[in-house]
Amino acid sequence: VAGSNDLSHVASVGWGDAPLPLPGPRAHSYVDFVMSAREPVRVSDLRQEQRFRVPDVLLDRGVRSSIGCALRGPRGPWGLLSAHSLDMREFVDDECAFVNELANTLSLAIAVKEAQQLHRDTISIASHELRTPLTSVIGLGQHLGRRLSRAGAEEAIVEMATSLTSEAFRLNAIIERWMGFAELHSGSA
């Protein structure tokens, strides 16, 4: 699996622990070709391929046949999923459908993870943006109440400042509960 943010290496299975070096997307490259295709790309003999430049790493490892499928998100393709065979073979329609479904499932899983992160980030920003002015209202309300009380203001006016502070605390508690529910819902708590 390769992602477009860093196509210098790919995760691999079956070729040892070290990631495989792969050049990033370039015109006429394997990565570029697969990522621009709307369906899985099948190659029965990489040594005879003319549609794109075959990565040396595949040829050096003796890969003869390949199937690749773009991983797509809302903003377009961002990576690829590919499988390779050391034997020359024709990938059949069922295999193409399987690789395509696997690519779609991976794409969806990553899109869900990104949406969850966006949700958590939105909660964090909303929490900060709501709490910052509310903290000021609470502090200023308390300060105003003390100053009015010291200055001998009418009880009704001092009570207004106390009520302002009390309501700001109540609003803060509502925000805390809302943020807690939102964090539980997003799985970040």
Side-chain angles (χ1 to χ4, degrees):
V1 177
S4 63
N5 291 339
D6 180 12
L7 286 175
S8 61
H9 290 84
V10 295
S12 62
V13 175
W15 284 346
D17 294 333
L20 298 175
L22 185 68
R26 293 185 302 224
H28 309 294
S29 72
Y30 175 75
V31 172
D32 182 58
F33 189 83
V34 172
M35 288 181 63
S36 64
R38 288 285 174 199
E39 58 190 33
V41 173
R42 306 180 226 205
V43 182
S44 57
D45 188 356
L46 284 170
R47 294 177 188 165
Q48 302 300 317
E49 181 55 49
Q50 299 295 312
R51 297 173 293 176
F52 53 81
R53 284 190 313 272
V54 177
D56 290 337
V57 68
L58 296 180
L59 296 175
D60 291 348
R61 290 180 181 256
V63 173
R64 289 298 299 267
S65 300
S66 178
I67 182 171
C69 193
L71 300 172
R72 298 185 184 286
R75 296 177 297 278
W78 55 267
L80 67 94
L81 171 70
S82 60
H84 311 286
S85 172
L86 298 177
D87 299 320
M88 197 166 95
R89 61 177 298 234
E90 207 47 60
F91 285 95
V92 297
D93 289 343
D94 285 347
E95 292 168 317
C96 288
F98 175 76
V99 170
N100 196 41
E101 282 303 311
L102 185 55
N104 290 339
T105 302
L106 286 170
S107 296
L108 182 60
I110 290 169
V112 166
K113 187 173 180 139
E114 287 176 351
Q116 288 171 335
Q117 184 60 48
L118 179 61
H119 187 243
R120 284 190 293 273
D121 292 347
T122 301
I123 290 168
S124 177
I125 290 168
S127 173
H128 176 75
E129 293 300 320
L130 290 171
R131 288 178 180 148
T132 298
L134 197 52
T135 299
S136 294
V137 169
I138 290 170
L140 291 171
Q142 290 172 330
H143 180 72
L144 180 62
R146 284 191 301 272
R147 291 209 49 191
L148 288 171
S149 192
R150 278 191 221 126
E154 291 179 30
E155 185 65 30
I157 294 176
V158 173
E159 192 59 39
M160 281 187 231
T162 303
S163 180
L164 172 75
T165 304
S166 175
E167 291 302 309
F169 274 120
R170 190 168 76 85
L171 182 56
N172 193 47
I174 291 169
I175 292 169
E176 288 290 327
R177 280 195 306 275
W178 178 69
M179 293 296 170
F181 289 136
E183 287 173 357
L184 279 174
H185 184 270
S186 73
S188 62

